[in-house]
Every structure is written in C-alpha cells, then in structure tokens.
Amino acid sequence: MIVPDDFIAELNLSERVRIVPFHYGHIHMMQLSELDRRAANALPDFNSHIQSYADTYPSMTVIIDDKIILSSGIFQLWPSTYELWMFKSDDIAKQNALDLTRKAKMFVSYTTQLSYLRRLQIVVRNDNSPAMRWAGLIGFNYEATLTAYTPDGVDCHIYTRFNHGFSST
C-alpha cells in the first residue's frame, strides 16, 4: 500500500525525485549504514516481516536521480497505535540531508493527522546517535529506554508523537 496521492502532492517533488510503492528488495539496493545492516540482520525473516507491513499499511520508497534514497512506512501495533520504520541509503542521504529531513518531517506530520491514529512511535537503537538526533528533528519526543529490546540484546529508545485531535468515536 503506497502513501496516498494527496500526501505525495504536498511534497512538491522535483523531476529528480519520485515516490514509488515499497518492495523489500529496495532495502537491499541501498548502501545501508553498518547500524542499519545490523538491525536488519538481527530480525529473523526480515524480508517477509517488512514486506508484510508494506502490503498492509502505508509505505513508500523515495528515489532521487534514479537511486533509492529511503524506504519508510508505518505498521499497526494495536488499534490507534502505529510504529514508523525507515531505512535509508547512507551515502545518498548525507548528500540530501536537509531535503530528506524536511520530507520526513512532512511525512510524520501527515501520518500523525490520520483519523485512525492516536500514537505514532519510532524505536531507535541506543548505539545509533544520528538516528536519535534525527528522531527529534522530525518531530518525535523521547519517551523511554527499552532495555535489551532487540533480538541481539541492544537497548533502544522509544520516541513518540501524538494526534491530539484523535477521537475513538
């Protein structure tokens, strides 16, 4: 399921930038950071997990100059609570950091306003300080530390954002 067209229109994409439906193979076409590679390798059946999220929930891949820069989406933990996942191509992301941060912040703002979403969260490994800083830059607030959270036993930080207009009726 791709992110809706009304959101894509808000991004004001240039001819260099395209958004396409996510496929798990996109992640394997990126130059992931060592931390992202470790995170992906720690999850058993990574490809089937991430593709099942993409088949069910909003997700997308961003392509700049015919190179995959980022894949991202959300998945439901339980009614009204969703988690954002994201993988980026380290080399290209550094070259486009400001634009990527702006677009990610727009995606988070858009997602947080969805009528069925009360809470959006992101989980970041505590050994990934750039991702922890970036979580704040795109509008998340630190909430807690999850001890030995990952399959390989790494602590993680959870960052949240709320839809204050959410109504369960």
Side-chain angles (χ1 to χ4, degrees):
M1 174 185 296
I2 192 165
V3 174
D5 289 338
D6 61 333
F7 168 70
I8 293 173
E10 288 180 37
L11 290 176
N12 298 320
L13 302 176
S14 69
E15 291 180 15
R16 299 177 45 226
V17 182
R18 291 183 295 135
I19 294 181
V20 299
F22 170 75
H23 183 275
Y24 73 86
H26 294 159
I27 292 174
H28 300 291
M29 297 169 71
M30 294 182 209
Q31 183 180 345
L32 297 177
S33 70
E34 177 61 30
L35 292 169
D36 281 344
R37 271 195 305 280
R38 236 185 297 152
N41 291 334
L43 182 63
D45 300 320
F46 172 77
N47 289 340
S48 60
H49 277 105
I50 205 81
Q51 189 61 45
S52 70
Y53 299 156
D55 291 343
T56 310
Y57 304 106
S59 61
M60 65 181 175
T61 293
V62 178
I63 300 172
I64 297 179
D65 296 330
D66 297 321
K67 294 179 184 152
I68 294 174
I69 186 171
L70 171 117
S71 290
S72 182
I74 62 172
F75 64 94
Q76 185 179 40
L77 293 171
W78 47 80
S80 76
T81 299
Y82 289 78
E83 188 163 300
L84 174 73
W85 60 268
M86 183 180 300
F87 286 91
K88 63 181 176 47
S89 186
D90 210 36
D91 57 335
I92 302 169
K94 286 178 184 172
Q95 297 168 18
N96 298 278
L98 185 58
D99 194 40
L100 180 60
T101 300
R102 284 183 185 140
K103 301 297 191 227
K105 190 171 186 173
M106 290 173 70
F107 178 70
V108 169
S109 292
Y110 173 84
T111 304
T112 307
Q113 295 172 31
L114 295 172
S115 62
Y116 55 82
L117 186 141
R118 175 191 342 238
R119 174 190 173 99
L120 181 64
Q121 64 185 40
I122 187 169
V123 176
V124 180
R125 293 169 60 105
N126 77 340
D127 57 0
N128 192 345
S129 55
M132 289 187 286
R133 282 191 304 275
W134 203 58
L137 288 173
I138 63 173
F140 286 90
N141 296 306
Y142 171 80
E143 185 173 77
T145 298
L146 306 168
T147 305
Y149 185 72
T150 66
D152 55 345
V154 174
D155 292 353
C156 289
H157 301 293
I158 190 164
Y159 296 83
T160 57
R161 186 158 168 167
F162 295 92
N163 176 355
H164 295 289
F166 174 82
S167 173
S168 59
T169 58

